[in-house]
Amino acid sequence: MLPWKRVLRPLTALLFAAAVATVPAATAHASSAPSTGWNDYSCRPSATHPRPVILVHGTLGNSVDNWLSLAPYLEDRGYCVFSLDYGQLSGVPLFYGLGPIDKSAQQLSAYVDKVLSATGAAKADLVGHSQGGMMPRYYLRFLGGAAKVNALVGLAPDNHGATISGLTNLLPYFPGAADLITASTPGLADQIPGSAFLTNLNAGGDTVPGVHYTVIATKYDEVATPWQSQYLSGSDVHNVLLQDLCPLDLSEHVAIGLFDRIAFHEVANALDPAHATATSCASAFS
């Protein structure tokens, strides 16, 4: 084996391990999600909350573990809540969000249609964590999703790529590393800043007309870095930094999606802006 190949495999393993370390252990599937309230296809949106909420997990996450806190939080507030698995690679069990992101967006498209058909709603709202906050933008821009989605709320979305605290900047020093990642985990390769996928996604602007965008970021993010790269530009965009709402909030990339009720309160505000209330440190107890 050539010397550079001996280095290449450990580097790829390091990148993968770093990504794994930032998500919860994936131990469940959509079929094990609660049958009432969350992924309950008999749920009908109310006049107060007329759109179903579809939760989109992050890289290496799944439709259950990613949402053990946020799904009940929204369900308790009267929303019909749904979640999907996407981006599974053949031969890779449990871990999702690793397939080509354009193909994952197609899976999201089919799932939105399924939820709208079941609930009778005209549009849905999407809430995504990490890749799950970025990937839907492909659906909105290229797959007709803008006609079916009212709002996209991203929790630590890697809208312009994820450097993993600069780790991906090492790739040029290892010839063939990027090609190996692309071949083995294309969903990871698509999230590297400057990738063909991200270049295409962001060409011509970050947003599409008719959709309300909210980005909720934390300055302690160690994956979608620099954290400012998560922000979107557009006429209907609300970019939020958690520490502007609560300086004591220490959530990083994982916590913001898994259990940060301050972030969840801001999600609820984005889903129902007409009844929004100020988010503060006290929101952790609301």
Side-chain angles (χ1 to χ4, degrees), residues 77-256:
R77 285 156 178 76
Y79 289 93
C80 291
V81 182
F82 301 86
S83 60
L84 77 156
D85 289 318
Y86 68 86
Q88 185 178 28
L89 294 177
S90 177
V92 181
L94 301 179
F95 298 105
Y96 295 82
L98 294 173
I101 297 182
D102 58 342
K103 299 296 189 281
S104 294
Q106 293 175 18
Q107 295 172 10
L108 174 62
S109 177
Y111 190 78
V112 171
D113 288 347
K114 176 181 177 180
V115 169
L116 293 181
S117 177
T119 60
K123 289 188 175 183
D125 289 323
L126 306 180
V127 178
H129 179 214
S130 192
Q131 180 190 161
M134 174 270 289
M135 175 270 281
R137 293 178 49 226
Y138 187 95
Y139 163 58
L140 298 177
R141 180 176 294 276
F142 299 113
L143 302 179
K148 303 175 184 179
V149 172
N150 169 71
L152 170 61
V153 184
L155 290 159
D158 55 340
N159 282 313
H160 299 94
T163 69
I164 315 179
S165 297
L167 188 59
T168 60
N169 295 332
L170 299 176
L171 288 173
Y173 297 100
F174 297 90
D179 291 338
L180 180 58
I181 294 173
T182 299
S184 59
T185 53
L188 293 181
D190 284 344
Q191 295 176 77
I192 296 174
S195 70
F197 173 83
L198 287 172
T199 299
N200 182 45
L201 175 64
N202 293 313
D206 291 344
T207 63
V208 295
V211 179
H212 309 294
Y213 294 84
T214 298
V215 172
I216 304 172
T218 170
K219 68 180 181 181
Y220 300 113
D221 202 304
E222 73 279 32
V223 177
T225 50
W227 63 263
Q228 294 91 339
S229 67
Q230 299 172 26
Y231 282 179
L232 296 172
S233 297
S235 59
D236 197 350
V237 173
H238 182 47
N239 292 313
V240 180
L241 181 65
L242 275 182
Q243 286 71 36
D244 287 342
L245 306 176
C246 175
L248 300 178
D249 194 323
L250 301 179
S251 291
E252 41 64 72
H253 188 78
V254 176
I256 193 175

Side-chain angles (χ1 to χ4, degrees), residues 19-43:
V20 170
T22 63
V23 299
T27 57
H29 300 276
S31 60
S32 61
S35 59
T36 58
W38 176 14
N39 280 348
D40 175 13
Y41 289 92
S42 67
C43 186

Side-chain angles (χ1 to χ4, degrees), residues 1-12 175 180:
M1 180 180 291
L2 295 176
W4 65 266
K5 288 186 177 179
R6 295 194 185 100
V7 179
L8 182 58
R9 292 189 185 281
L11 176 63
T12 303
L180 180 58

